[in-house]
Every structure is written in structure tokens, then in C-alpha cells.
């Protein structure tokens, strides 16, 4: 039984796949297995995976009979993983040298926690690199903890690939990925809120590739409406567990912020769908408002501390026209601020 299982779903990434696989197989830590899932990719991914499996017995390849999408491709790999811990690596990203040794050492040091969160860096097509802006959260404590003890851990990017998961913990709770976009959301929130022991590793272990084109989430599509169903799944999970009810105000705010962020990005939604997306978000925001909370109220977070101010979520209590006016006013204000700064700099010069 290997210490670490790395699950890599593959679809239309033949140009990046070798670099991804090499970054795993050339690690100094060798007690691993790679579960590579060919999600019926129409390019050369399947052949590349078979080539690597033929020369490295640590690589297991699954060829799916039909394309099922990122989340369900990960699900397909889960039953084949035998390692103590699971990692999920997207096939256009790479591990940094020494990453798996650092992960394994930290897991041993913290007594095999349910989840280990590590750092990442964004790498850009033009050669730039930028570390996670909230990296300081990973150094808040050297001990294992729960999300309630250190809720700031949830301020990190809520994705699946910056964590290692104890396989028994995943199997005992039956965690699975749903279909659709934003499939990380109904995996990561339930996992992090359920974990009895979370540990951190303040080290960049993964390079998160920012592709110039071809990124699914940066493609205009109505599939971005999937985010609403994903948050419904999160609230259903919390609703079935009374001990997690205290998190409802926090998740309510996160849902509003996430949906408004999608709406604000020009490369996500078709222009004709933006008004409908706002209205569905507002309906969801009202439907999952914590019991007893007034409109715009975050509710009582109890011992969880100050998880953030209301900010701009009040726009979800109004109309789409009001939202557009507020956005326009914000742009005018920002431009006025930039102009004032330019004037001050010119005067100083």
C-alpha cells in the first residue's frame, strides 16, 4: 500500500500532460501511485498515459468509455486508489520539486490528519509567477486544528488540488464530486467542515497554470449557472448535520460573494444571461438566509469570530437594474480615484 495516491483526470491536455506526469514521477519521494483517468479525451492523452504506464508500474490508467467531466472523472479514480492519502492534480498543473517529500513529512509530523492544506503559486503563460496572496494563513499554527478553531483557513481558495486527504476519512464520509462546473465547492466545504484534524504546510507544492485560453471556467457559457446547484448541495449537507448549523451564516455570505464574483467577470456569462443569473442568485440568497436573520444580516456566528463584513451583498436584496447602477458608480469612483492619484503624482514631480 503506497503512502500517497495522486489522481489525475485528463481531457484535451496533451500539450501539458507530459510535464504534469514528469513532475509527479520524478519526485524524490517514491512511495506513490498515480491513478490517471482518460476522460474519453479526443486528443493524444490516452496514448501518452499508456506510454507512461508501460514504463512505470506506479502508473495505473483508466480509459472511460464516455466523457463524464472533471468531477466524475475524479470519482472514477477514487475506488482504484490504495494510498493512505489522496491528492488530486489537474493535468495541466505541476508539482514543485520535493513537494511530495514535504507533504509526507508533514503528514507524519502532525499524526496523519484528516486534511493537509499546502500552498501553491499561479504560473502565467508569459512566464510570470505569483504566490497565493493568503499564504500567511498556512503559518497560523503548527498544530492540527478544526475549521471552527481557525476559520481563516476557509479564506483560502476553496479548491480540491491544494490539499491531501486521508483516504479512510474520505471513504467513511462518502465524499464524492458532483457533475457540472464548480464541482470543487460541494467537495471542499463539506470536507473542511467535517474534518476533526486539519494541518497546514507553508510551502509551495503546486504550480497552478493560468492558461491564456482553454480554461473551462474562463469560457462564456450558461454552464456557470451550475454554481447555484453546487451551493444547494453544500446547504443540503450542512442541513443534514445539526452540529454544522453554526456555519450557515458563513456559507450564506460565501455563496453570495462567489456568485457576484462570477457575475462581475466579463469572460464567464453570455451578456443575455447576466440578468437571469443575478435574479437566480438573489432567489438563492433569500432562500438560504439563516433563520431569524433580517435581510442583509449575517446572523450570529457564535464562537467562529468575525468572518467578514456584509460588504456589497446588500445588492442581492434589490433589482438587477440597481446592481448595474451600483457597479457603474463603483467604476466611476475608482476612475476618479486613479485620476486624483495621477494629479498628485504630477504635482509632486
Amino acid at each position: 500500500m503506497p503512502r500517497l495516491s495522486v489522481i489525475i483526470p485528463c481531457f484535451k491536455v496533451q500539450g501539458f500532460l507530459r510535464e504534469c506526469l514528469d513532475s509527479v514521477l520524478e519526485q524524490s519521494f517514491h512511495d506513490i501511485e498515480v491513478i490517471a483517468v482518460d476522460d474519453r479525451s479526443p486528443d493524444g492523452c490516452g496514448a501518452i498515459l499508456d506510454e507512461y504506464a508501460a514504463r512505470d508500474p506506479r502508473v495505473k490508467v483508466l480509459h472511460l468509455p464516455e466523457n463524464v467531466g472533471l468531477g466524475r472523472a475524479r470519482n472514477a479514480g477514487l475506488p482504484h486508489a490504495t494510498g493512505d492519502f489522496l491528492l488530486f492534480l489537474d493535468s495541466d498543473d505541476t508539482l514543485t520539486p520535493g513537494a511530495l517529500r514535504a507533504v509526507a513529512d508533514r503528514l507524519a509530523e502532525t499524526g496523519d490528519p484528516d486534511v493537509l492544506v499546502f500552498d501553491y503559486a499561479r504560473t502565467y503563460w508569459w512566464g510570470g509567477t505569483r504566490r497565493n496572496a493568503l499564504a500567511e494563513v498556512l503559518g497560523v499554527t503548527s498544530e492540527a486544528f478544526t475549521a471552527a478553531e481557525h476559520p481563516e483557513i476557509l479564506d483560502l481558495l476553496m479548491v480540491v488540488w491544494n490539499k491531501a486527504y486521508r483516504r479512510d476519512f474520505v471513504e467513511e464520509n462518502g465524499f464524492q464530486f458532483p457533475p457540472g462546473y464548480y464541482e470543487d465547492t460541494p467537495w471542499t466545504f463539506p470536507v473542511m467542515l467535517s474534518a476533526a484534524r486539519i494541518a497546514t504546510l507553508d510551502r509551495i507544492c503546486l504550480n497552478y497554470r493560468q492558461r491564456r485560453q482553454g480554461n473551462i471556467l474562463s469560457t462564456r457559457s450558461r454552464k456557470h449557472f451550475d454554481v447555484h446547484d453546487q451551493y444547494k448541495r453544500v446547504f443540503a449537507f450542512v442541513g443534514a448535520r445539526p452540529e454544522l448549523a453554526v456555519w450557515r451564516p458563513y456559507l450564506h455570505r460565501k455563496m453570495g460573494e462567489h456568485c457576484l464574483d462570477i457575475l462581475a467577470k466579463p469572460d464567464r456569462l453570455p451578456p443575455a444571461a447576466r440578468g437571469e443569473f443575478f435574479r437566480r442568485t438573489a432567489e438563492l440568497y433569500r432562500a438560504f438566509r439563516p433563520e431569524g436573520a433580517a435581510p442583509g444580516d449575517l446572523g450570529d456566528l457564535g464562537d467562529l469570530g468575525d468572518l467578514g463584513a456584509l460588504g456589497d451583498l446588500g445588492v442581492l436584496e434589490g433589482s438587477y437594474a440597481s446592481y448595474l447602477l451600483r457597479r457603474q458608480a463603483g467604476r466611476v469612483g475608482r476612475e476618479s480615484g486613479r485620476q486624483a492619484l495621477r494629479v498628485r503624482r504630477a504635482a509632486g514631480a
Side-chain angles (χ1 to χ4, degrees), residues 130-148:
R130 180 166 61 89
R131 188 176 185 179
N132 167 25
L134 296 175
E136 68 275 4
V137 170
L138 297 173
V140 68
T141 179
S142 61
E143 305 298 326
F145 57 90
T146 65

Side-chain angles (χ1 to χ4, degrees), residues 146-157:
T146 65
E149 290 168 337
H150 289 286
E152 61 271 21
I153 194 68
L154 301 180
D155 290 333
L156 295 172
L157 189 62

Side-chain angles (χ1 to χ4, degrees), residues 31-70:
D31 191 13
I32 66 171
E33 66 179 1
V34 174
I35 313 297
V37 183
D38 171 20
D39 189 17
R40 192 68 175 179
S41 186
D43 57 9
C45 285
I48 293 172
L49 295 178
D50 289 339
E51 172 195 328
Y52 274 76
R55 67 174 189 243
D56 195 321
R58 295 175 297 171
V59 179
K60 303 176 184 177
V61 180
L62 303 178
H63 294 283
L64 301 187
E66 60 180 355
N67 175 251
V68 297
L70 180 57

Side-chain angles (χ1 to χ4, degrees), residues 256-267:
E257 290 176 346
H258 192 175
C259 292
L260 287 177
D261 182 62
I262 293 169
L263 183 61
K265 285 181 165 58
D267 58 352

Side-chain angles (χ1 to χ4, degrees), residues 328-348:
Q328 179 62 29
R331 282 193 291 267
V332 170
R334 287 190 295 273
E335 180 55 36
S336 297
R338 286 192 290 266
Q339 179 63 28
L341 181 60
R342 287 192 291 267
V343 170
R344 287 196 299 273
R345 285 175 175 171

